[in-house]
Structures are given as structure tokens and as C-alpha cells.
Amino acid sequence: WWSADTLAVVTGANRGIGFEITRQLALHGLTVILTSRDIIAGEEATKTLLEQGLKVVFHQLDIVDRESIDLFCAWVKEKYGGIDILINNAGVSYNTGSENSVECAEKVINTNYFGTKNITKALIPLMRSSDEGARVVMVSSRLGRLNGRRNRIADVDLREQLEDVESEDIIDSTMSKFLEQVKDGSWITGGWPQNNTDYSLSKLAVNAYTRLMARTLSERPEGQKIYINCCCPGWVKTAMTGWAGLTPPEEGADTPVWLALLSGQSTSGKFFAERREINF
Ligand code: NDP
């Protein structure tokens, strides 16, 4: 359904899974805006893809910087009028292996959840109308599944509220409560996920937000639909996993790209891994 005029934006695309998503979307013939918070890294990544004959354009974008978001959106609006696909890939994690430090919790929650939410909100008004619908793909993680068996929030009421949020306030206040407990040291007994606690929570927030947005966006009229889904790329060999992951970035990018290009789709608010829907 797409063409060279179909425009996709990928965040955190200078390396890792984001770079691969950009490459694969461009190989499918789309035009891709490769974004990166670091200009030199982004330009170098773009040059590599341009040398392969792919249609890729670079623009700076730091998802935790309001000014950067505003400048990016103004540029998109002026140059293209709008976009068709947003892949929210940018993310950070500071835990490796079984280590569970929350030293960088604020950075992790601010980037993975608030940054992702802010760029999504800023770009939704720029998503173009089409019969196929515009798409938002959240590169999330199985660690943040709302109903995860082994890595879940202990408070059953809070878990139930998060599984079916009516507004983003409950997600935001849960993140604030966690960060307060990190500051006063009480997070250890706070009933939070036990594995990669801050990272897992940030992705849980992304998953809850995806479900909420899917419901909100479903009210848009035919022809102006926007579908939003989240996915897990697997355990991928990138800087984030200290290159320990088992899946090559090419495979990690597969499900996000597949989700972005689904034809005749009306799927929204779901979670996918290895091209399959997973209960979350
Ligand atoms: P990398 O660390 O290789 O890449 C992360 C990318 O995000 C980098 O380009 C980084 O930029 C960028 N980024 C970080 N903060 C910001 C910001 N504020 N604004 C814009 N870009 C930013 O990790 P991966 O490729 O492995 O991860 C990509 C996504 O996949 C993440 O969301 C991650 O959580 C998710 N994921 C990864 C898994 C894995 O096993 N690797 C497993 C499950 C999910 P810079 O180069 O400047 O640091």
C-alpha cells in the first residue's frame, strides 16, 4: 500500500535496532527520516544508507528536549506537510545482566515513557489521512508486560488500573510514586517489578499508554485512522545489552517493520513479538 512518498520517522535511529528499522523500511521503498539526538552520529548513519541507494533524510531529534521536538515538528510540517508512520524506538537502559541499579531511574522513565509520549503527542496532529491509516509502533519490551507472571507490580489494584487506564494520569502518577520511592530508598519494598526495575516500569508505562491511545484514536473517523501497537524486538545484540543479546539487530527490527507495514489492518492497542500477538 505504500510508495516512495510514504514517510516514516524513526527515533534513536543512528544505531542498533533503530538503524536497522530505518534501513529495512527504506529497502521496502519508503522515504525514512532517520532521527538522532547526536547530529554527527545521525549524519554518519544517514550517509551509510544513502550510499546504499536508500531514500533516507536526517534530522536531529532528542525526545526529552521540548525545543528539539518543536523544531523537528515544524521542519516536518514545512518540508512534507505530514508523516504516515512513527516508530518510537529511542530508549535507554543502564542495567546490564542481573544488575538492578535504579541510579538512573529518572533518566530511564523520562526517556522511555515521557519522551516517547511527548514525541507521539507532538506528531499525531501531523499524521496524514489515508485509506490504510497512519501507524505508530512502540518498540517496547516483554519486561513491561502488564500481566507478566514473573516481573509484575505486586499491588493488584494498581495492576488492574494500569491494565485498563482511562487517562494517562494514573500512568504518570505511578511513575512519580516510583521515582519518589527511588529518592527515599523505599523502592526495594515498594512491590515494583524485580528485574530491571526502572526499565521494566518505563516499558510497562509505554504499554499502558499504547492501549489508552489506541482507544482514544479509534474514535477518529474513517480515512483519518491512526493505529498504534507495541512490540518486543527480542533480546538483541546492541549496545543496550552490552552486545550480549542473542538476536541480531536485523531480526530485532523485523517485527516493528512488519507491524508498521501491515496491510488492510485495523489492529490497534496490541502487543507483538516475532510477528505474533502476545497477551499483555
Ligand atoms: P541502543 O542503545 O543501541 O540504541 C538506543 C538508541 O536510542 C540510540 O540511538 C540512542 O541515541 C537513542 N536515544 C536514547 N535517548 C534518546 C533521546 N533522548 N532522544 C533520541 N534518541 C535517544 O539500543 P537498542 O537498539 O537495543 O534499543 C532500541 C529500542 O529497543 C529501545 O527502546 C530499547 O528499549 C528496545 N529494546 C531493546 C532490547 C534489546 O535487547 N536490545 C530488548 C527490548 C527492547 P545515542 O546513540 O545518542 O545514545
Side-chain angles (χ1 to χ4, degrees):
W1 57 270
W2 61 90
S3 71
D5 294 327
T6 305
L7 196 58
V9 171
V10 184
T11 66
N14 52 296
R15 61 182 164 107
I17 300 167
F19 177 78
E20 255 312 303
I21 292 173
T22 306
R23 194 180 69 86
Q24 290 181 24
L25 284 173
L27 273 174
H28 279 288
L30 287 80
T31 301
V32 189
I33 305 177
L34 183 157
T35 71
S36 151
R37 57 180 167 176
D38 182 283
I39 293 179
I40 293 173
E43 283 179 345
E44 269 174 22
T46 305
K47 189 165 160 258
T48 304
L49 297 178
L50 286 173
E51 283 168 1
Q52 295 171 22
L54 299 173
K55 242 182 133 185
V56 176
V57 184
F58 170 70
H59 200 281
Q60 196 273 347
L61 176 62
D62 183 336
I63 62 164
V64 296
D65 180 347
R66 172 50 61 188
E67 198 187 341
S68 171
I69 291 180
D70 290 346
L71 284 171
F72 177 69
C73 291
W75 173 79
V76 166
K77 195 168 180 190
E78 198 193 313
K79 192 166 162 81
Y80 299 102
I83 64 162
D84 305 291
I85 295 170
L86 166 63
I87 313 269
N88 279 312
N89 164 81
V92 291
S93 170
Y94 297 95
N95 293 322
T96 42
S98 55
E99 174 202 335
N100 191 24
S101 146
V102 292
E103 220 171 286
C104 303
E106 202 156 0
K107 224 179 198 170
V108 171
I109 303 282
N110 277 345
T111 307
N112 298 1
Y113 171 56
F114 287 106
T116 298
K117 180 167 87 160
N118 289 342
I119 186 63
T120 305
K121 279 190 173 173
L123 281 172
I124 277 177
L126 292 181
M127 300 208 90
R128 297 195 277 223
S129 303
S130 72
D131 291 342
E132 280 287 340
R135 291 105 196 276
V136 180
V137 175
M138 308 291 219
V139 182
S140 187
S141 169
R142 278 187 182 89
L143 283 171
R145 280 172 64 199
L146 291 152
N147 62 0
R149 290 254 165 268
R150 276 175 300 168
N151 201 36
R152 59 178 168 186
I153 289 180
D155 181 338
V156 179
D157 286 345
L158 177 60
R159 212 164 62 217
E160 280 175 6
Q161 281 180 54
L162 286 166
E163 276 184 22
D164 197 16
V165 282
E166 277 165 16
S167 87
E168 56 194 79
D169 295 350
I170 177 78
I171 314 176
D172 292 8
S173 63
T174 303
M175 296 304 111
S176 303
K177 187 173 159 201
F178 169 66
L179 289 176
E180 271 165 33
Q181 293 192 4
V182 166
K183 277 194 191 124
D184 68 21
S186 63
W187 68 276
I188 297 173
T189 51
W192 304 107
Q194 309 79 35
N195 183 2
N196 290 272
T197 304
D198 54 356
Y199 179 78
S200 299
L201 256 183
S202 72
K203 295 297 192 181
L204 183 140
V206 166
N207 295 344
Y209 181 68
T210 302
R211 210 174 248 175
L212 172 69
M213 282 307 287
R215 208 177 320 123
T216 310
L217 293 170
S218 70
E219 285 156 17
R220 290 168 72 99
E222 279 310 320
Q224 291 174 36
K225 292 285 187 204
I226 301 176
Y227 303 110
I228 180 167
N229 292 288
C230 42
C231 61
C232 180
W235 193 43
V236 186
K237 208 176 190 55
T238 62
M240 183 172 283
T241 56
W243 314 103
L246 295 176
T247 308
E250 294 82 350
E251 270 175 48
D254 179 71
T255 295
V257 169
W258 168 79
L259 251 182
L261 297 181
L262 272 182
S263 167
Q265 82 148 333
S266 53
T267 309
S268 205
K270 307 286 190 208
F271 187 103
F272 293 84
E274 283 120 36
R275 297 196 182 196
R276 271 197 298 264
E277 190 184 330
I278 287 189
N279 190 339
F280 77 114

